[in-house]
Amino acid sequence: MHILRHVGWVKRSKTYQILMNGEFRFATPTLHLNTETCLSMLKIENLTIRFDTRYGPLTAVDNVTFEVRPGEVFGLVGESGAGKSLTGQAIIGLLDPPGYIAGGQISLEGVRIDNLAYNHLRALRGRKIGMIFQDPLTSLNPLYTIGKQLTETILTHTSVTTAEAQQQAIALLTDVGIPGAAERINQYPHQFSGGMRQRVVIALALCANPQLVIADEPTTALDVSIQAQILSLLKQMCREHGAAVILITHDMGVISQVAQRVAVMYSGRLVEIGDVRQIVKHPKHPYARGLMGSIPSLHHQVDQLTQIDGAMPRLTDIPPGCAFHPRCPECFDLCREKRPVLKKIANSHIACWLYAQEAHHAG
Amino acid sequence: MWWIRACGSIWERLTVMGDSAHPTEGLSLRKGWRIAGTLKRLTDSDIFYSFYHSPVTVIAVFVTLLMIGSALTAPWIAPHNPFDLASLDLMDSHIPPAWEDDGDKRYLLGTDDQGRDVLSTILYGSRISLMVGFLSVIFSMVLGVSLGIISGYAGGLADVLIMRIAEIQISFPAILIALLVDGVLRTLIPNAHSERLAVIVLVFSIGISGWVQYARTVRSSTMVEKNKEYVQAARVIGIHPVLIMTRHILPNVMGPVLVIATIHLAVAIITEATLSFLGVGVPPTQPSLGTLIRIGNDFLFSGEWWITIFPSAALAILVLAVNLLGDWLRDALNPKLR
Amino acid sequence: MPDKDQALLKVTGLKRYFDVSQPFLNRLLERRKRQYLKAVNGVSFTIKQGETFALVGESGCGKSTIAHLVVGLFPPSAGKIEFDGIDLTTLNNRAQLRPVRRRMAMIFQDPYASLNPRWRVNNIISEPIKAFGLLNGRQAIVQRTSVLLEQVGLSPQDGAKFPHEFSGGQRQRISIARALAGEPEFIVCDEPTSALDVSVQAQILNLIKNLQKKFGLSYLFISHDLAVVRHIADHVGVMYMGRLCESAPVKALFENPRHPYTRLLLDTIPDIEKMGRECAPPQGEIPNPLNPPAGCAFHPRCPQTTDHCICNRPKLENMASDAKVACFQAF
């Protein structure tokens, strides 16, 4: 797989060279800051991700639209297979083949980034967008010391000397709470515990001061007491570096603690976006309501949890109309026939026919 | 590959019924549908897909099946019976292939020094070669898989013992082991029986030289499987370890074994040919492809090339086809390469 | 049938050490001693008839090892496991164990690994029935598996399918059906929902609870998720580094946690009801279990550590209302 991906990269960069020689030059993605983009630093419009299989294309992410504001923590929740990780991978251009972006736009600060050539995309990764993966063991190279990995990343993205980069790396490691950073910088990833490794990964993601950090299930592999440490660190570091965060997780608890705005995904589609308080306390979409009800509470004991019967449909048989309708307790004829689109209702956007009337009146 | 696709679509139409049938209907009918359903799963599976999208493999399978088929039906399709001494005529010896100037229409690929039809000897010879190949592969497989599962599942002393023996054996070339075992057995068996037991001795010596690969592969997959929760579930119920090994673990470790077995078949056929070529294989009265090549080799420099070239070509094609099949199977069953 | 309130499972002084030493030659050359991982180091608890006893703790605390010891996947290094008055550690052949094994069952964590991929669901579920010889005749077994499938919310037609045709939640239902097949009184659930999504988790938790009411089952429920434990358990044991540090009825434990570690766990879980409230995360990490701290194992992370805690190990002491705590500061 890795080899294949590598070959893919080589191929892509070759086409890029051909284009370069043919007097077709890409402008480097410099900042064109204008008033419009100040409100949203990352804008995703109608993003569609497909997989070509021998049974035909499968749509894994379907027409997803949202924006991330500068400095905010944006939560992307959903169950496994809802397409949340794919959305994250698409933003940073790490979509594994056979997956590809079949439609829509991703723009960072007003510049489209979904159709960038490989070289530009690589410059963007790390410098503009950082990434934190679920498994801290596999996202660090086991053959290099963490110091080498950090300084190398700093050197690729900024113009400093090796000594300065080394200094920066030590400072960064101290910032993420690694005691004795000056000594530990020469250690290998396997010499760190899981929580410490995730701290290193956060340092690595932040070392070039990116404007956006995509954290894909950053605490799923960790124990609760360590999870709390990492979450609060992530929040604090991003505040200090002024980076916006897209937090991808399946855990509503994590989202409610860290995020300001949330998007709930179901079978590749957005069902509700809004303020975290709104969605946690008063979810509107029946799926979001079911999801919140199915979380067992720490404070009071109920006899039965609210359950949503059935399971999320497989990509091969997504029902027509609203994808949630076979499991929805409030579904009616329209839901089975037509797909609802996101409509603004009060402070949030909801894709549900139940609220279509309301939106109509409001709009 | 239009014809395969055409067959596929007809097949699909036939089997769609199998899938939608109600399992509560009559028992015999249900069984029929279940077989149809299983076959449909097979034709729908990724393996089948990768099969008919790989023309080389399709040809390899075709050639292999052709050779196996013609070997099995040799008594009926061969133009002559090379073992019927009464029908042999020394006057017919050393006749070149039919298209040469001195050729004889009765003998398409010519005759050898005893007047036997080369085409018929090849058909009969590949029979022996394939039989020895298959039997020794089955022997190695049974031995290797059982030792591997025991070694992986039981661990401890059994594991140490089996694996050390395997390591000692693997440090010698397989052909050497086969020669050694063959030699020892031949001296042990009284001369009166040696001709009759020759094939069994050959199967045993080739088989014993190849079990290590199976054992090592099966051992490592067993060690992965035995820690999976379905094995724990069986242990919690108190299922006997032998049953766990045979009914739970065995079906789950057979994938790589099939790959090894296919590639091993080619190796076993070659080993048999080598032993026969060296003169320690099957007796010349029941010649295999290797024996035929050795016999022909004596006449190669007197210009009678057909006696050795045609059996050699048959051997090469058979081994190549089986090897290609094994290579494809290895890639198709390996999720990492897909 | 044992009467209510009587202990169904009684575990006393349970220990399990794993030999994690280097191979013999390495030990000899590097002059190292044998090393043991003390996965379970002296744990005692009782589970009453019809009760759910939950063990919680972080990864590596030994809770899963206890589950495996109780169902007899491997023998304990020391201690007793008494099931309905029978000491399991004294039974050492399969024939003696069989009647006890019939009365116990286990539900596993990973729904993808716990079902044999080459077996049809019918065969998977009927394996315990055949193993214990509960029913004879194909027809009777087929009928029983249909009933079991319906009890866990699947249809009898699903029995002819293979496990890969089901989603994670459905596979866990199959696993539950297999556990019920032997008509057990006691089921060990080893993190049965941690591999599932929340909405599916709710389905499975409801199912587990309903089955308990229907069949009067007792559960040993292993989990790392306190919210799930709060929902399902009657009595909770909190484990840290191979020992129980607190054991109490669920209400008492959640409303009045006595051990600092329990408090730490309760404070750190992201809780949707404490939204946005910033709480100081606990410091420190779980120590290396090969080299546990002296005294109270929790002392390096404990906010109330005294010199006494560093030198002495607290025992699990009885407190008011059926609660037990192993902490010097809890009095």
Side-chain angles (χ1 to χ4, degrees):
Chain A
M1 202 64 211
H2 275 282
I3 295 167
L4 281 181
R5 196 198 297 169
H6 199 73
V7 173
W9 280 1
V10 173
K11 269 192 190 155
R12 250 184 281 170
S13 61
K14 267 191 188 153
T15 40
Y16 168 67
Q17 277 166 8
I18 294 163
L19 289 171
M20 288 286 281
N21 293 337
E23 301 215 345
F24 190 92
R25 285 168 187 279
F26 281 92
T28 36
T30 44
L31 294 178
H32 299 293
L33 267 180
N34 55 38
T35 42
E36 195 196 310
T37 53
C38 263
L39 242 174
S40 61
M41 69 164 310
L42 180 81
K43 204 165 184 177
I44 293 176
E45 284 165 293
N46 306 325
L47 178 69
T48 301
I49 298 172
R50 289 219 174 95
F51 284 84
D52 277 344
T53 68
R54 63 188 170 100
Y55 305 105
L58 296 179
T59 309
V61 173
D62 196 350
N63 224 1
V64 163
T65 302
F66 64 86
E67 53 186 46
V68 180
R69 296 167 192 158
E72 80 169 341
V73 179
F74 184 82
L76 203 53
V77 271
E79 297 179 87
S80 48
K84 52 192 194 312
S85 285
L86 285 174
T87 309
Q89 285 164 12
I91 295 170
I92 198 164
L94 279 177
L95 214 54
D96 278 332
Y100 63 95
I101 298 179
Q105 288 193 7
I106 303 169
S107 32
L108 185 71
E109 293 172 322
V111 182
R112 264 188 84 166
I113 57 167
D114 55 311
N115 53 2
L116 282 185
Y118 173 65
N119 278 12
H120 287 153
L121 198 63
R122 214 186 55 176
L124 199 80
R125 287 186 200 141
R127 189 182 304 172
K128 296 257 179 205
I129 309 177
M131 181 102 191
I132 300 168
F133 294 97
Q134 173 177 349
D135 187 355
L137 188 58
T138 48
S139 46
L140 292 169
N141 188 336
L143 294 179
Y144 295 113
T145 62
I146 58 149
K148 186 162 168 59
Q149 297 184 47
L150 271 170
T151 45
E152 206 153 82
T153 318
I154 295 172
L155 285 171
T156 353
H157 294 299
T158 49
S159 46
V160 289
T161 64
T162 316
E164 281 169 342
Q166 186 91 8
Q167 284 305 312
Q168 275 184 26
I170 293 172
L172 209 54
L173 284 179
T174 318
D175 282 351
V176 295
I178 291 180
E183 293 90 57
R184 299 211 74 179
I185 197 160
N186 291 321
Q187 289 183 339
Y188 289 89
H190 70 90
Q191 291 167 296
F192 287 76
S193 69
M196 283 296 162
R197 246 180 251 141
Q198 200 61 302
R199 286 167 191 268
V200 175
V201 173
I202 291 178
L204 206 56
L206 288 173
C207 65
N209 279 316
Q211 283 111 322
L212 178 69
V213 173
I214 299 171
D216 189 358
E217 306 263 7
T219 57
T220 308
L222 305 174
D223 279 317
V224 266
S225 62
I226 312 297
Q227 163 173 298
Q229 295 173 2
I230 296 298
L231 284 179
S232 102
L233 175 76
L234 183 68
K235 211 173 162 183
Q236 174 210 337
M237 290 300 290
C238 292
R239 200 184 297 141
E240 281 171 16
H241 288 248
V245 180
I246 297 181
L247 182 65
I248 298 167
T249 178
H250 66 278
D251 191 336
M252 268 326 273
V254 169
I255 289 280
S256 72
Q257 260 320 239
V258 186
Q260 279 116 40
R261 287 194 318 129
V262 191
V264 183
M265 284 185 84
Y266 183 79
S267 99
R269 305 165 183 189
L270 281 181
V271 295
E272 188 163 352
I273 310 183
D275 188 60
V276 69
R277 199 164 288 273
Q278 175 74 29
I279 287 185
V280 169
K281 298 278 187 203
H282 312 286
K284 285 229 166 67
H285 193 284
Y287 173 66
R289 248 184 282 154
L291 194 65
M292 296 311 300
S294 60
I295 303 170
S297 163
L298 269 177
H299 303 283
H300 33 79
Q301 211 166 356
V302 288
D303 192 46
Q304 291 274 298
L305 295 168
T306 323
Q307 68 176 56
I308 319 173
D309 287 325
M312 200 160 67
R314 294 183 183 195
L315 288 181
T316 43
D317 43 26
I318 293 177
C322 172
F324 186 61
H325 85 251
R327 300 173 73 189
C328 183
E330 288 159 273
C331 117
F332 52 99
D333 288 345
L334 191 56
C335 307
R336 291 185 198 99
E337 287 153 18
K338 249 179 111 182
R339 207 184 127 179
V341 287
L342 277 179
K343 287 259 170 65
K344 189 171 161 66
I345 291 141
N347 298 328
S348 44
H349 289 76
I350 293 147
C352 180
W353 290 120
L354 281 177
Y355 303 96
Q357 286 296 312
E358 229 174 285
H360 187 70
H361 288 304
Chain B
M1 303 273 82
W2 60 271
W3 53 279
I4 295 175
R5 259 180 236 172
C7 292
S9 71
I10 293 166
W11 179 243
E12 204 160 291
R13 235 165 269 166
L14 280 174
T15 48
V16 157
M17 296 179 284
D19 229 27
S20 58
H22 245 272
T24 42
E25 285 164 26
L27 200 73
S28 58
L29 195 64
R30 201 169 72 198
K31 203 144 211 171
W33 287 135
R34 181 175 281 190
I35 294 166
T38 313
L39 282 172
K40 178 165 164 50
R41 255 205 312 283
L42 184 74
T43 52
D44 266 2
S45 66
D46 290 344
I47 301 254
F48 198 76
Y49 180 80
S50 96
F51 171 68
Y52 68 75
H53 276 245
S54 156
V56 173
T57 315
V58 174
I59 294 168
V61 167
F62 182 71
V63 169
T64 314
L65 289 180
L66 189 75
M67 305 245 350
I68 292 175
S70 58
L72 284 177
T73 55
W76 295 280
I77 62 163
H80 304 271
N81 182 354
F83 302 121
D84 183 8
L85 292 173
S87 73
L88 294 181
D89 189 349
L90 276 179
M91 292 299 285
D92 290 335
S93 65
H94 302 288
I95 296 176
W99 57 85
E100 298 268 306
D101 293 342
D102 309 335
D104 188 326
K105 265 190 223 151
R106 287 176 303 157
Y107 306 111
L108 183 64
L109 300 180
T111 58
D112 66 2
D113 61 321
Q114 294 174 46
R116 299 186 290 199
D117 175 37
V118 171
L119 177 63
S120 305
T121 50
I122 289 174
L123 289 175
Y124 275 88
S126 51
R127 218 168 133 89
I128 308 258
S129 284
L130 279 167
M131 184 180 73
V132 171
F134 272 110
L135 286 180
S136 47
V137 163
I138 291 169
F139 180 69
S140 308
M141 188 159 80
V142 171
L143 185 70
V145 169
S146 17
L147 286 177
I149 285 200
I150 293 170
S151 178
Y153 189 77
L157 194 64
D159 183 27
V160 171
L161 216 65
I162 293 169
M163 280 302 119
R164 286 306 92 81
I165 293 172
E167 275 160 21
I168 292 167
Q169 174 164 344
I170 211 160
S171 57
F172 296 101
I175 186 88
L176 209 63
I177 304 273
L179 266 174
L180 186 77
V181 174
D182 191 78
V184 170
L185 286 178
R186 266 163 206 280
T187 46
L188 289 180
I189 294 169
N191 262 342
H193 300 290
S194 67
E195 193 127 313
R196 209 153 39 81
L197 293 175
V199 172
I200 298 171
V201 168
L202 202 59
V203 165
F204 182 78
S205 48
I206 296 173
I208 204 103
S209 69
W211 66 276
V212 175
Q213 235 191 334
Y214 295 94
R216 286 165 75 121
T217 316
V218 166
R219 173 179 175 264
S220 59
S221 359
T222 303
M223 284 164 84
V224 173
E225 293 296 324
K226 82 166 176 185
N227 288 322
K228 288 201 178 157
E229 287 171 347
Y230 71 86
V231 175
Q232 289 182 2
R235 286 173 60 203
V236 168
I237 307 170
I239 304 281
H240 195 277
V242 172
L243 285 181
I244 293 182
M245 284 190 256
T246 50
R247 300 185 54 200
H248 282 282
I249 294 179
L250 187 65
N252 284 296
V253 297
M254 281 310 275
V257 169
L258 285 181
V259 176
I260 298 177
T262 317
I263 293 169
H264 190 208
L265 178 63
V267 175
I269 292 170
I270 286 278
T271 311
E272 184 276 330
T274 313
L275 291 179
S276 295
F277 184 83
L278 295 174
V280 293
V282 286
T285 49
Q286 296 269 313
S288 73
L289 288 177
T291 323
L292 292 178
I293 296 168
R294 179 178 60 122
I295 295 167
N297 202 33
D298 298 340
F299 303 101
L300 188 59
F301 291 107
S302 55
E304 287 152 3
W305 51 271
W306 58 90
I307 304 178
T308 190
I309 292 295
F310 289 121
S312 310
L315 179 71
I317 290 169
L318 175 63
V319 167
L320 182 68
V322 173
N323 247 329
L324 286 173
L325 185 64
D327 277 357
W328 162 77
L329 207 58
R330 184 192 58 207
D331 295 348
L333 289 180
N334 188 348
K336 275 182 206 146
L337 285 173
R338 251 191 276 155
Chain C
M1 216 49 176
D3 53 76
K4 209 127 171 102
D5 278 357
Q6 196 195 323
L8 180 67
L9 184 85
K10 191 167 179 221
V11 170
T12 26
L14 193 65
K15 286 184 183 179
R16 174 69 204 194
Y17 297 167
F18 290 105
D19 189 348
V20 289
S21 325
Q22 299 265 321
F24 173 72
L25 209 61
N26 297 45
R27 275 207 314 275
L28 196 75
L29 293 174
E30 293 166 25
R31 290 169 191 283
R32 287 220 196 126
K33 277 192 216 154
R34 270 187 178 277
Q35 247 187 335
Y36 292 97
L37 175 73
K38 296 174 179 175
V40 178
N41 201 358
V43 169
S44 309
F45 58 89
T46 53
I47 302 178
K48 290 189 201 119
Q49 183 72 31
E51 182 190 62
T52 303
F53 183 88
L55 280 176
V56 274
E58 296 179 282
S59 55
C61 71
K63 54 191 192 305
S64 278
T65 310
I66 291 188
H68 291 161
L69 289 170
V70 167
V71 294
L73 278 176
F74 35 70
S77 307
K80 275 207 294 195
I81 303 168
E82 282 168 86
F83 181 78
D84 198 15
I86 311 159
D87 186 356
L88 300 187
T89 49
T90 58
L91 306 176
N92 38 25
N93 67 47
R94 288 166 20 87
Q96 283 178 318
L97 274 166
R98 213 167 92 137
V100 187
R101 279 192 159 137
R102 209 270 303 150
R103 299 170 63 188
M104 285 189 189
M106 184 157 180
I107 302 169
F108 295 88
Q109 173 177 5
D110 183 356
Y112 293 88
S114 61
L115 306 174
N116 190 335
R118 308 262 164 178
W119 283 31
R120 283 180 200 276
V121 169
N122 269 337
N123 296 334
I124 293 175
I125 296 176
S126 59
E127 194 182 19
I129 303 175
K130 291 172 190 157
F132 299 123
L134 296 178
L135 287 171
N136 287 314
R138 217 183 93 91
Q139 206 56 42
I141 291 175
V142 168
Q143 254 165 20
R144 174 81 178 123
T145 48
S146 307
V147 172
L148 285 165
L149 280 168
E150 273 170 356
Q151 274 171 353
V152 296
L154 295 169
S155 84
Q157 274 91 39
D158 289 334
K161 294 183 187 165
F162 283 99
H164 70 87
E165 295 172 60
F166 295 92
S167 68
Q170 286 173 318
R171 283 165 185 239
Q172 207 59 312
R173 287 175 192 268
I174 297 168
S175 196
I176 293 172
R178 172 178 60 190
L180 292 175
E183 293 165 37
E185 295 149 48
F186 174 66
I187 299 182
V188 176
C189 311
D190 186 7
E191 307 238 19
T193 60
S194 64
L196 305 175
D197 284 311
V198 261
S199 71
V200 181
Q201 165 174 291
Q203 295 171 8
I204 298 297
L205 289 178
N206 285 344
L207 177 65
I208 289 177
K209 244 186 157 171
N210 290 340
L211 291 171
Q212 179 168 42
K213 272 183 225 149
K214 198 165 167 188
F215 298 110
L217 298 166
S218 317
Y219 291 123
L220 170 61
F221 195 95
I222 313 288
S223 180
H224 67 275
D225 188 336
L226 280 165
V228 167
V229 165
R230 160 105 216 199
H231 176 71
I232 203 136
D234 301 310
H235 202 97
V236 185
V238 181
M239 284 192 74
Y240 189 73
M241 305 278 302
R243 287 193 175 87
L244 271 180
C245 58
E246 183 166 358
S247 160
V250 66
K251 215 165 149 56
L253 187 102
F254 281 85
E255 282 166 14
N256 182 18
R258 293 167 202 261
H259 197 281
Y261 179 62
T262 316
R263 255 175 273 155
L264 173 142
L265 282 181
L266 282 171
D267 284 345
T268 51
I269 336 171
D271 180 0
I272 50 172
E273 273 154 69
K274 292 190 295 187
M275 191 168 44
R277 200 188 306 163
E278 197 94 357
C279 52
Q283 291 312 303
E285 299 203 341
I286 304 161
N288 180 2
L290 281 177
N291 189 14
C296 173
F298 189 59
H299 84 251
R301 300 173 76 188
C302 182
Q304 297 165 298
T305 305
T306 62
D307 289 344
H308 193 58
C309 303
I310 297 171
C311 309
N312 302 290
R313 207 181 62 234
K315 283 201 186 73
L316 203 62
E317 306 262 8
N318 276 316
M319 307 285 290
S321 68
D322 214 9
K324 290 177 184 159
V325 182
C327 180
F328 297 120
Q329 315 297 320
F331 297 96

